[in-house]
Every structure is written in C-alpha cells, then in structure tokens.
Amino acid sequence: MDQLSREHLNPSIYVGLRLSSLQAGTKEDLYLHSLKLSYQRCLLRPATSDDNSDCPTKPSMGQLALYMLALRANCEFIRGHKGDRLVSQLKWFLEDENGAIGHNHKGHPHTSYYQYGLSILALCVHQKLVRDGIVGKLLYAVEHDHQDHLSVDTVAMAGLAFICLERSSFNPDLRQRISTAIGTVQEKILKAQTPEGYFGNVYSTPLALQLLVSSPMSRVDLGTACLKARAALLVNLQDKALQNPIIISQLLPVLNHKTYVNLIFPDCQAPRGLLGAAPEDSSLIHVPEVISVTLKVSSVLPPYEQTISVLAKSSLEDILKKAQELGKFTYGTQASLSGPFLTSVMGKVPGDREFWQLLRAPDTPLLQGIAEYKPQNGETIEIRLASW
C-alpha cells in the first residue's frame, strides 16, 4: 500500500484488505483516494487529449472492474455523471466481447472469459443490470466446456458472477441456467483438486475457494476439500512462496470467511484490528551466494543460449536484465496488476493468440511470473513462443 505510483496502484489490494479483519488506518484512505484520482483521470480523459504524461497506459477493463469492486468495498455505489461514464465503458466492453464471441459461440473474447466474468460481477455488485445476451455467452462457455479448456480461476470468476446475479434476483429468465451453472462450476473446481490440495494450482486456488465457500454446501466432501486447500495455501504463505499481490489479495477474504460476493452488501461498520508493520526477517542477513542459470530462446533465429551468473535468490527478471546488459539478448515487458509480463523477446512480438511461455528445462511450465520466480543454481530456463 506504500506504492502509490500509477503503475503500482492495484484495486485488488484495497478490496482484499477491506474484506479482511485488519485495517491499515489512514493508509487505506490515502490508497483509495489515489485509486480514484488515477482511474478517473485515465478513464475519463477526453479522447482528443494529447497529454499522456500522467497516464501513459489506459487501465484495462479488467482493472476498471476491480476499481468498481474497490469502491463497493468502501460501501460506495458508483453514481453521478462520472460514474455513469465508467459503467458505460464497462458495458461497451462487454458488448464488444459479445460480438467477438459471435451469435454461434464460435469466436473468442478479445481479452478473456476471466475479464468477461469479472466485469459482470463488478456491474452486479453495483446493482447495474446486464442484458440476458451478455450473461448468456458466459453461461454457454461454462455449459459447453466439456474438455476443461477454461482455467480454474476463470470458471471461479464466472461462478462468483453467477452467484451475485442469483442473489440479486437479476436476469430472471436465465434463473434456472444460472443455478445449474453454479453447480457445474463447483463440480469443475472440485474435480481439479490436486493431491497437494490445490484447485488447479496454487495461483488459482484462492479464487476457487471464494467460489466454493459462496456456494450452497450441498456436498459432504466440500468442507474437507476446502480445508485441504486452505492448509496447502497457509504452508505456501509460511514458506514465503506466495508473493503475488493479486493472489494474496484474493486469499485474504477467504482467510476471514469473506468473498467478493460479500460486496453485494458490504459491512463497513464491522470492527477491524489495526495492521502492524511486518517484523524484519533476520534470516535475510547472510553472505551472498553466486549461482549460474542458463537462459535459452529456441523460437528465434539464430537460437539464443547463455549461462549467466547472478546472486542466489535473484528473480528471473533480474536474470533477464543481466542477460540484456551482457548483450545479444533483448526483451520488453508490460506492467500488469499481477506483475510484468513479456511482450517481446529478441525483437519478436507474439502474434494473435500467441504468448511467451516460461519453462524450466526440459519441459516444465513455470506458474510464476518473471518478477516472482527465483531459479535455482544450475537450472535452464527456456522462453518459448506458444499459442493458446
């Protein structure tokens, strides 16, 4: 919450903290004030304005949806002329995605079904109606996902949107399909539980838990599955393996028996303890150790491979920076709420429905991003152009 620059402001952090049993005092007020200034300045700027100095990149519609959740977490409804314009932007985004999917459901959203579901949820908690045709596209995607192409966090977000619509008595003509889809999402998530306890993986588990604890507890094994997942996440927290702010902010509500569905009727009067400063970790005082990591890019010509020496516990992003400093390697990134992601490698930009995949040799996809993953000594990291 100390990072108040435009690129670091993250509405999800505010939502997570507001749905917890702790509060950060005046820091919370300052953070929300900074969010309002930044998002309204960037999203409500006239289209003809050439001054991008204070807003070089416009927030995505997913970020706008999270901003709307943040307002609701403070018991605010989005209203007035400025609020109406933001709601209109989110509704136009859904209409555009609806058109991309097509009436025959053969297309794909320009962004993702995750952002699609998040946008419906954000409008729902602000009591803004979304037409049946828009909701129907998300229902169809869940109903016909027989091969489990949708990720666990995507179906969880869709399910949270459906629960909000059901509890708000919106879209009555779709009530039966919505109710059935909530059960389908629940089944998909439970089916995806790993032996370690995660739903899909460690990063999709917090949102999956939010969905499960918001759903009707009709299954006997539901409580056991949730406890197993919660225990696995707590181990990760104690080992400091979870560093991603988005994931932590999705987990905080669950640890306090809350979910995004609570934003329909948030309780802003509930007593919350004051969040203290984290104690310094004395284990961080040690003699620096140097390790070697091999970086490999086979999707370009000529292929690139280089062994790089860095300090132990360096992130993959640190290694990429070092490789670029040494020459013959270049890369570009774009900031996101989940951290930076690769936009180009060796001058090559992914095409439509392509992305730069990170793998630990020989063929293990990395679940963490470049700012979080910390390679071990002797590892080979491959950056591979993949399609989805």
Side-chain angles (χ1 to χ4, degrees):
M1 296 196 81
D2 289 328
Q3 297 178 305
L4 296 175
S5 59
R6 167 70 191 89
E7 65 270 20
H8 288 116
L9 278 172
N10 187 339
S12 187
I13 291 174
Y14 183 83
V15 175
L17 196 56
R18 291 290 297 188
L19 288 176
S20 79
S21 58
L22 294 169
Q23 51 115 343
T26 55
K27 277 189 181 183
E28 273 187 29
D29 299 331
L30 177 60
Y31 203 81
L32 182 61
H33 178 69
S34 301
L35 279 172
K36 287 180 177 180
L37 283 179
S38 176
Y39 275 71
Q40 290 183 17
R41 183 185 297 130
C42 291
L43 289 164
L44 300 177
R45 186 180 55 201
T48 53
S49 174
D50 294 326
D51 182 13
N52 294 335
S53 57
D54 57 351
C55 186
T57 56
K58 184 178 178 180
S60 69
M61 290 299 100
Q63 290 171 307
L64 169 56
L66 281 173
Y67 169 66
M68 287 174 61
L69 293 187
L71 293 178
R72 199 69 195 101
N74 194 45
C75 292
E76 294 181 38
F77 277 114
I78 197 160
R79 53 168 59 96
H81 178 61
K82 289 182 177 178
D84 289 344
R85 285 176 62 192
L86 293 177
V87 169
S88 294
Q89 285 190 36
L90 204 53
K91 286 193 172 185
W92 276 115
F93 161 73
L94 285 170
E95 291 291 349
D96 188 47
E97 294 291 62
N98 179 60
I101 297 166
H103 67 279
N104 58 0
H105 306 276
K106 299 295 184 187
H108 303 276
H110 294 303
T111 56
S112 65
Y113 278 111
Y114 182 94
Q115 286 199 45
Y116 196 93
L118 173 60
S119 300
I120 292 175
L121 174 65
L123 290 166
C124 176
V125 299
H126 280 274
Q127 298 182 8
K128 302 297 181 183
L129 298 177
V130 178
R131 67 181 183 85
D132 285 357
I134 298 289
V135 176
K137 287 291 197 298
L138 190 59
L139 283 168
Y140 185 93
V142 170
E143 292 164 347
H144 292 80
D145 184 36
H146 305 305
Q147 304 299 319
D148 294 328
H149 291 309
L150 295 177
S151 64
V152 169
D153 52 350
T154 295
V155 294
M157 184 59 79
L160 289 168
F162 296 149
I163 291 171
C164 181
L165 295 174
E166 184 178 63
R167 292 192 185 177
S168 304
S169 300
F170 291 161
N171 306 90
D173 293 344
L174 298 175
R175 181 166 299 173
Q176 186 55 53
R177 284 180 71 190
I178 288 172
S179 179
T180 303
I182 293 169
T184 301
V185 167
Q186 190 183 79
E187 291 289 337
K188 281 179 171 293
I189 290 173
L190 289 172
K191 180 183 165 188
Q193 189 162 34
T194 67
E196 297 81 16
Y198 302 123
F199 295 115
N201 59 53
V202 63
Y203 296 99
S204 54
T205 300
L207 208 57
L209 272 172
Q210 283 202 39
L211 181 281
L212 292 177
V213 300
S214 300
S215 309
M217 290 283 185
S218 54
R219 288 181 49 149
V220 192
D221 57 345
L222 192 56
T224 306
C226 288
L227 286 172
K228 188 176 179 182
R230 187 178 184 274
L233 287 171
L234 286 175
V235 169
N236 262 277
L237 277 176
Q238 288 157 4
D239 293 343
K240 299 188 186 319
L242 274 182
Q243 299 293 330
N244 188 300
I246 282 273
I247 307 306
I248 292 172
S249 62
Q250 290 175 347
L251 176 58
L252 253 180
V254 177
L255 296 178
N256 291 278
H257 313 290
K258 300 271 185 71
T259 76
Y260 288 163
V261 177
N262 288 98
L263 296 176
I264 302 173
F265 302 111
D267 183 1
C268 292
Q269 303 305 316
R272 296 158 68 214
L274 189 63
L275 187 65
E280 290 189 15
D281 190 347
S282 58
S283 66
L284 296 178
I285 305 170
H286 62 281
V287 178
E289 175 194 352
V290 176
I291 64 170
S292 294
V293 176
T294 299
L295 187 61
K296 182 178 175 183
V297 186
S298 53
S299 303
V300 295
L301 292 174
Y304 170 88
E305 186 168 339
Q306 177 75 42
T307 299
I308 298 155
S309 296
V310 292
L311 292 177
K313 298 189 177 179
S314 293
S315 68
L316 181 52
E317 186 176 21
D318 294 329
I319 293 167
L320 297 182
K321 287 177 182 175
K322 182 75 176 289
Q324 187 159 262
E325 288 169 6
L326 293 172
K328 297 185 180 179
F329 177 82
T330 60
Y331 74 103
T333 63
Q334 183 176 322
S336 77
L337 295 185
S338 296
F341 65 91
L342 289 171
T343 54
S344 67
V345 175
M346 309 295 281
K348 186 170 180 61
V349 177
D352 189 35
R353 302 182 71 78
E354 288 184 331
F355 68 103
W356 286 110
Q357 185 180 30
L358 305 172
L359 302 106
R360 184 174 66 246
D363 218 26
T364 304
L366 299 185
L367 298 177
Q368 295 164 290
I370 60 172
E372 298 173 271
Y373 185 70
K374 296 177 180 178
Q376 300 298 306
N377 188 34
E379 277 188 9
T380 295
I381 302 297
E382 181 180 355
I383 307 175
R384 183 186 300 171
L385 193 63
S387 58
W388 57 282

